[in-house]
Amino acid sequence: MSNELYAVVGHPINHSKSPRIHSLFAKHTGEPVEYTAIQAPLDGFAATVHQFFDSGGKGLNITVPFKEQAWALADLRETRAEKAGAANTLYQNREGQLVADNTDGQGLVRDLTINHGVQLKGARILILGAGGAVRGVLGPLLEQQPACLTIANRTVAKAEALATLFADEADVTRLNACGFETPDQPFDIIINGTSASLLGDLPPLCTNVIAAGTVVYDMMYSLQTTTFNQWALDNGAVRVFDGLGMLIEQAAESFLVWRGVQPDTARVIDALRND
Ligand code: ATR
């Protein structure tokens, strides 16, 4: 059988790990998948997507800075993409309509619960940031029914807007918004969804938010411990994780959407950790 074509679209795209991840999924599952990386011009995202599907491509992952454009371009959106306001997965349905999905939140939830054994139901969660990355994961996190979910952000109004947007989904969860300095009690789970680490910056949190049992999760990943996770370790956290598992789990969920086959993510996490 000849390979079917998939790709990730972003700008820049040369550092993307998606081709390596999906090639490993294809190898392990035996699915006839060829996966490449496409750098779309900043003003040419829609043309790039249409050209890809018109020439027989089967599915796309979308990354920075095009996730919101992918959402807007689609004819249909899966429920989890609708509320996220951004899409990381595109495909065409049988009628040729462009469908947008968002697997980021599922990726985070699976990495926390399955790979790290963290219980989200009933947990007290602090999430930092109120940009696209956080908006993309709030729905799937709330579905897990944490006891409370506090969104803290540098610009408090953006955290408040997200809390309002997701109020309907928070039926059993106390959902609230604040600035970084406000929380002063320990949380069960702290998730960093700001881009502060990219700049080597730290959100000015009170160290009381960390207790020995607190799970700290940075949605960023890097070969070295991230700036945020190092701060957490220095202030008493024992269990800190970076976002490599989330990256691989969101990819696996896209692969499942496209191919109907669930890849074994543990092997791929091991492979990438040792690259
Ligand atoms: P992304 O798609 O990665 O979420 P984004 O939508 O630009 O990108 O959001 C970036 C997030 O990181 C925001 O919550 C931003 O805070 P503001 O809403 O106040 O801008 C946060 N952020 C970026 N740089 C930061 C820094 N140096 N310190 C703290 N928060 C920062």
Side-chain angles (χ1 to χ4, degrees):
M1 200 194 297
S2 64
N3 280 343
E4 300 196 323
L5 192 58
Y6 296 82
V8 59
V9 179
H11 188 124
I13 202 63
N14 51 336
H15 292 301
S16 172
K17 294 197 182 298
S18 294
R20 170 131 169 79
I21 294 169
H22 281 276
S23 300
L24 286 171
F25 290 163
K27 186 171 151 202
H28 296 161
T29 60
E31 287 290 300
V33 163
E34 185 180 333
Y35 191 108
T36 61
I38 300 172
Q39 177 160 302
L42 287 174
D43 60 354
F45 173 71
T48 302
V49 170
H50 290 310
Q51 190 187 8
F52 177 82
F53 285 107
D54 289 349
S55 58
K58 295 293 176 194
L60 288 175
N61 282 132
I62 309 299
T63 188
V64 178
F66 298 125
K67 287 183 178 185
E68 284 83 5
Q69 284 187 55
W71 183 92
L73 190 64
D75 302 308
L76 296 173
R77 297 177 197 114
E78 297 290 350
T79 315
R80 60 189 174 180
E82 184 67 46
K83 208 67 186 265
N88 72 340
T89 305
L90 292 174
Y91 60 95
Q92 279 181 325
N93 66 12
R94 283 170 208 271
E95 288 73 42
Q97 294 164 303
L98 189 63
V99 184
D101 201 347
N102 191 319
T103 64
D104 285 333
Q106 181 79 357
L108 173 64
V109 166
R110 283 182 65 95
D111 193 38
L112 278 167
T113 58
I114 298 175
N115 299 334
H116 300 305
V118 176
Q119 169 144 347
L120 298 178
K121 189 174 172 127
R124 294 169 40 83
I125 302 177
L126 173 62
I127 190 160
L128 310 175
V134 168
R135 182 170 169 178
V137 301
L138 283 179
L141 280 176
L142 287 168
E143 261 174 33
Q144 299 295 309
Q145 304 189 322
C148 88
L149 181 53
T150 298
I151 308 168
N153 195 41
R154 181 173 62 182
T155 311
V156 180
K158 282 171 69 180
E160 285 168 346
L162 278 189
T164 304
L165 185 64
F166 283 87
D168 287 349
E169 270 93 314
D171 43 355
V172 302
T173 304
R174 207 152 22 88
L175 179 63
N176 46 55
C178 59
F180 290 133
E181 285 96 346
T182 307
D184 62 355
Q185 300 293 318
F187 285 81
D188 299 316
I189 303 165
I190 303 174
I191 299 167
N192 179 28
T194 70
S195 43
S197 273
L198 280 180
L199 313 161
D201 253 3
L202 278 171
L205 290 178
C206 169
T207 55
N208 289 353
V209 295
I210 297 178
T214 303
V215 169
V216 174
Y217 193 101
D218 196 338
M219 284 164 63
M220 298 273 152
Y221 68 89
S222 66
L223 287 177
Q224 297 81 29
T225 305
T226 67
T227 309
F228 185 74
N229 282 355
Q230 191 58 54
W231 170 84
L233 287 168
D234 292 343
N235 287 285
V238 178
R239 299 182 71 198
V240 303
F241 306 115
D242 71 10
L244 181 67
M246 173 179 172
L247 176 75
I248 292 166
E249 292 296 342
Q250 63 78 28
E253 187 69 15
S254 295
F255 195 91
L256 177 65
V257 166
W258 294 325
R259 308 295 310 174
V261 174
Q262 175 82 57
D264 175 359
T265 51
R267 286 173 80 181
V268 178
I269 292 172
D270 277 353
L272 267 80
R273 205 51 97 185
N274 294 319
D275 271 355

